[in-house]
């Protein structure tokens, strides 16, 4: 364990920032003062104030300084050094058994200890005796000192949060520079506006009026907001009052109609309706749903049918149709007047039952609509009680009109239902009478059949009618099935067309993305070849890279720019002399042009005189 400890200490002391170049033998053979100096150098790396030569310091001061720093760093001696005096004595004398564990502990956590030492400079409070704190000046100063310590804690915590939050200093600097530019622009704009305003007479008064205008506008907005809030509160209060009045009105109406006879009649009507719904309508619907489920289960359980099976079923259906047609023809030939009367009554009873079922369905729908309206009303009431926005104005009028129309429709349906109930009672009595008559006729018919020797003819006829009804029902189901299949095929075709039209732009976009991917792959391939050539050791290959070509072009352009700048400098230096020389040459050119014109004129006027030219002058002799 000690060898591992020494090895770790030596490795850390040989690294940055110590660079001691120790080995195990050399470090282990250090003198106590040298070991103490090494220990002090480690402490100096943690706290720069500890950078002191041990030889120039008294042992008592060394002990005090080191123990204070170790206590501030929260170092705990090993368990085998429980005696404080032994620990202090070993620390002053440079004992290996004391220094080596401390060095091992310090070198394991140098960054954390540096941070702790830095914070301790500001967070370790000064010990002020209590008797000194009775002085007002010292007490105030110490209070300010404690406030500054707390402020330092807060700022340091914010700084650490900013360091760990991932903000980039470059981004912050860019933001700061951008905000400074915006600030400069705003300052310039304000200055320009001030200059424009200063030229106007009484601009100070106008600025004061503008300031007052802004204040009044802000106040106006605040008052408008308060006004809107008060309007909302007033509207909510009015709604609550209206609801209370409506509830009071409903309660009064219910109290006015609350005699025992009306309540009993109303309850009897509801009981009759509910008993009809429970005993007749709902069982029929449930039975119909069960038959449908059984039929669907049977269809799902059967194996997939091929074309021969379908042809066989079609043949069977044709045979049953022919048998039914024969039975219908026989029935029509018989044409019994008693059966005709019974058929008329049966038709009337079926019509009444269908009407009854339709009205029951309408009643159920009206009840559901009423329950939905009541739920909406409760929700609106809860919203208004919570202070949320409620319906108002035209929307409220539409809701009230809708509720009134629904109430009128409900009353109308209820009246129709009561009429149907009365008619249903009459029809029930009629049906009972007819059933008795039918039983009497059936008994007579059976007796006649026995006498004639054709017993069972009526039951056979009823069976034929039942088969005919089943055949009609099967035909209807078959027609509905074919219609459903054709409708499903249409829906599938339309769905396919919609999917194709929806996929067309996606496919088009996919093609463009593929083209872009090919371009990117080509660019990546070129970049890979460029990178391969650039990292190649062959100088000829490196010369072919785009980077080398660009660098060469940049160098050429820089040399050309340098040459042009030198020429520009030469031109600027000789500009004045060249301009003077150019002026002289221009004057000389004008002089020569004048001489040329004079010479041509003299040639044309030779009869008047002749020109004598010598080196110094020209003369015209007439």
């Amino acid at each position: 364990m000690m060898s591992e400890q020494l090895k770790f200490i030596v490795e850390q002391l040989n690294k940055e920032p110590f660079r001691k170049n120790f080995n195990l033998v050399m470090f282990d053979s250090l003198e106590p003062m040298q070991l103490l100096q090494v220990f002090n150098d480690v402490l100096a790396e943690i706290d720069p104030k500890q950078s002191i030569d041990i030889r120039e310091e008294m042992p008592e001061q060394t002990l005090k300084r080191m123990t204070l720093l170790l206590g501030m760093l929260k170092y705990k001696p090993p368990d085998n050094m429980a005696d404080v005096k032994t620990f202090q004595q070993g620390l002053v004398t440079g004992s290996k058994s004391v220094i080596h564990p401390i060095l091992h502990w310090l070198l394991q956590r140098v960054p954390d200890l540096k941070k702790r030492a830095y914070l301790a400079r500001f967070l370790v409070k000064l010990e002020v005796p209590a008797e000194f704190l009775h002085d007002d000046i010292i007490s105030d100063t110490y209070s300010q000192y404690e406030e500054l310590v707390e402020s330092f804690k807060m700022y340091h915590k914010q700084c650490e949060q900013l360091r760990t939050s991932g903000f980039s200093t470059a981004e912050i600097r860019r933001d700061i520079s951008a905000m400074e530019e915006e600030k400069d622009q705003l300052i310039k704009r304000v200055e320009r506006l001030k200059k424009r305003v200063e030229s106007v007479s009484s601009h100070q008064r106008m600025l004061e009026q503008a300031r007052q205008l802004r204040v009044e506008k802000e106040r106006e907005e605040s008052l408008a907001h308060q006004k809107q809030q008060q309007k909302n509160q007033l509207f909510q209060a009015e709604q609550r009052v209206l609801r209370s009045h409506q509830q009071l009105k409903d309660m009064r109406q219910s109290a006015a109609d609350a005699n025992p006879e009306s309540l009993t009649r109303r309850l009897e009507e509801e009981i009759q309706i509910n008993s009809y719904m429970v005993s007749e309508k709902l069982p029929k619907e449930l039975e119909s749903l069960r038959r449908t489920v059984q039929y669907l289960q049977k269809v799902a359980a059967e194996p997939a049918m091929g074309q021969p099976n379908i042809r066989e079923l079609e043949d069977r259906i044709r045979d049953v149709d022919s048998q039914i047609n024969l039975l219908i023809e026989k029935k029509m030939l018989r044409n019994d007047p008693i059966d005709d009367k019974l058929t008329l009554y049966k038709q009337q009873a079926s019509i009444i039952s269908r009407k009854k079922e339709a009205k029951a369905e309408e009643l159920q729908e009206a009840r559901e609509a009423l329950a939905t309206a009541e739920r909406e009303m409760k929700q609106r009431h809860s919203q208004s009680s919570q202070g949320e926005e409620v319906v108002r104005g035209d929307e409220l009028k539409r809701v009230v009109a809708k509720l009134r129309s629904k109430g009128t429709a409900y009353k109308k349906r209820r009246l129709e239902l009561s009429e149907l109930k009365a008619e249903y009672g009459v029809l029930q009595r009629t049906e009972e009478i007819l059933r008795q008559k039918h039983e009497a006729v059936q008994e007579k018919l059976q007796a006649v059949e026995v006498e004639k020797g054709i017993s069972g003819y009526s039951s056979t006829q009823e069976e034929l009618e039942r088969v005919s009804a089943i055949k009609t029902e099967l035909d209807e189901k078959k027609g509905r099935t074919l219609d459903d299949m054709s409708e499903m095929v249409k829906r599938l075709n339309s769905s396919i067309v919609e999917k194709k039209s929806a996929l067309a732009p996606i496919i088009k976009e996919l093609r463009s993305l593929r083209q872009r991917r090919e371009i990117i792959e080509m660019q990546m391939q070129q970049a890979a070849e460029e990178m391969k050539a650039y990292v190649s050791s062959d100088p000829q290959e490196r010369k072919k890279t785009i980077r080398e070509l660009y660098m060469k072009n940049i160098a050429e352009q820089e040399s050309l720019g340098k040459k042009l700048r030198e020429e520009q400098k030469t031109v600027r230096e000789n500009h004045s002399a060249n301009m003077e020389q150019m002026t002289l040459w221009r004057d000389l050119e004008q002089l020569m042009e004048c001489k040329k014109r004079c010479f041509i004129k003299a040639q044309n006027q030779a009869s008047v005189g002749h020109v004598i030219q010598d080196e110094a002058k020209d003369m015209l002799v007439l």
Side-chain angles (χ1 to χ4, degrees), residues 260-272:
E261 291 79 7
S262 62
L263 292 174
T264 306
R265 185 172 60 255
R266 191 179 305 168
L267 289 173
E268 288 177 353
E269 291 176 356
E270 291 181 359
I271 290 170
Q272 290 178 0

Side-chain angles (χ1 to χ4, degrees), residues 472-536:
T472 306
E473 186 177 356
L474 288 174
D475 290 340
E476 291 178 356
K477 287 184 179 180
K478 184 172 68 174
R480 287 197 298 270
T481 304
L482 293 175
D483 293 338
D484 293 341
M485 291 176 66
S486 61
E487 185 67 25
M488 186 181 296
V489 171
K490 289 180 181 179
R491 287 200 301 269
L492 289 174
N493 290 330
S494 61
S495 178
I496 291 169
V497 172
E498 290 176 359
K499 296 294 183 183
K500 285 183 178 179
S501 60
L503 287 173
I506 299 174
I507 294 171
K508 187 176 180 181
E509 185 179 0
L510 180 61
R511 289 175 182 170
S512 62
L513 290 175
R514 285 178 178 172
Q515 294 177 359
R516 287 179 59 189
R517 188 195 62 162
E518 292 175 358
I519 295 171
I520 292 171
E521 287 179 352
M522 292 175 62
Q523 293 177 355
M524 289 177 66
Q525 186 177 1
Q526 292 176 359
E529 293 176 356
E530 176 71 16
M531 196 67 189
K532 184 178 179 182
Y534 180 70
V535 299
S536 177

Side-chain angles (χ1 to χ4, degrees), residues 277-334:
M277 297 288 288
V278 171
S279 61
E280 296 185 17
K281 187 175 183 301
L282 294 178
K284 287 181 181 179
E285 292 179 356
L286 184 60
E287 186 64 27
S288 175
L289 291 174
R290 285 176 179 173
R291 286 198 301 269
T292 304
V293 170
Q294 290 176 359
Y295 177 73
L296 293 175
Q297 288 176 352
K298 183 178 179 182
V299 172
E302 290 181 356
M305 299 178 65
Q307 196 66 28
N309 296 328
I310 295 174
R311 283 197 294 270
E312 183 180 357
L313 288 175
E314 289 177 351
D315 295 336
R316 290 174 60 185
I317 290 170
R318 281 195 294 270
D319 294 339
V320 173
D321 288 340
S322 62
Q323 293 177 6
I324 291 170
N325 291 329
L326 290 173
L327 293 172
I328 291 171
E329 289 176 0
K330 290 180 180 179
K331 180 182 178 182
M332 291 176 65
L333 290 173
R334 191 182 60 160

Side-chain angles (χ1 to χ4, degrees), residues 176-337:
I176 291 173
S177 61
M179 287 189 287
E180 288 179 351
E181 291 178 359
E182 292 179 359
K183 179 183 176 182
D184 295 337
Q185 292 177 0
L186 291 173
I187 291 172
K188 291 178 182 179
R189 186 176 178 183
V190 170
E191 292 295 332
R192 288 197 300 269
L193 291 173
K194 282 184 178 180
K195 290 180 181 179
R196 291 174 59 184
V197 171
E198 287 175 356
S199 61
V200 180
S201 59
S202 66
H203 64 278
Q204 291 292 338
R205 184 172 58 83
M206 295 175 67
L207 287 174
E208 185 64 27
Q209 291 177 355
R211 191 178 298 109
Q212 293 178 0
L213 177 62
R214 186 183 69 251
V215 172
E216 292 298 329
K217 283 185 176 181
E218 292 176 354
R219 185 182 175 188
E220 182 182 2
E221 291 177 357
S222 176
L223 292 174
H225 183 65
Q226 293 179 3
K227 182 179 178 182
Q228 186 64 31
Q229 288 181 349
Q230 291 177 358
K231 281 185 178 180
N232 293 334
Q233 294 175 0
L234 178 61
F235 182 78
Q236 292 173 5
E238 290 176 352
Q239 292 295 317
R240 286 195 293 270
V241 171
L242 289 175
R243 283 195 298 271
S244 301
H245 285 307
Q246 186 65 32
Q247 291 176 0
L248 180 61
K249 184 178 179 181
D250 295 339
M251 292 176 68
R252 286 176 178 175
Q253 288 180 356
S254 61
D257 298 336
N259 53 348
E261 291 79 7
S262 62
L263 292 174
T264 306
R265 185 172 60 255
R266 191 179 305 168
L267 289 173
E268 288 177 353
E269 291 176 356
E270 291 181 359
I271 290 170
Q272 290 178 0
I273 293 170
N274 293 329
S275 61
Y276 168 73
M277 297 288 288
V278 171
S279 61
E280 296 185 17
K281 187 175 183 301
L282 294 178
K284 287 181 181 179
E285 292 179 356
L286 184 60
E287 186 64 27
S288 175
L289 291 174
R290 285 176 179 173
R291 286 198 301 269
T292 304
V293 170
Q294 290 176 359
Y295 177 73
L296 293 175
Q297 288 176 352
K298 183 178 179 182
V299 172
E302 290 181 356
M305 299 178 65
Q307 196 66 28
N309 296 328
I310 295 174
R311 283 197 294 270
E312 183 180 357
L313 288 175
E314 289 177 351
D315 295 336
R316 290 174 60 185
I317 290 170
R318 281 195 294 270
D319 294 339
V320 173
D321 288 340
S322 62
Q323 293 177 6
I324 291 170
N325 291 329
L326 290 173
L327 293 172
I328 291 171
E329 289 176 0
K330 290 180 180 179
K331 180 182 178 182
M332 291 176 65
L333 290 173
R334 191 182 60 160
N335 195 12
D336 193 352

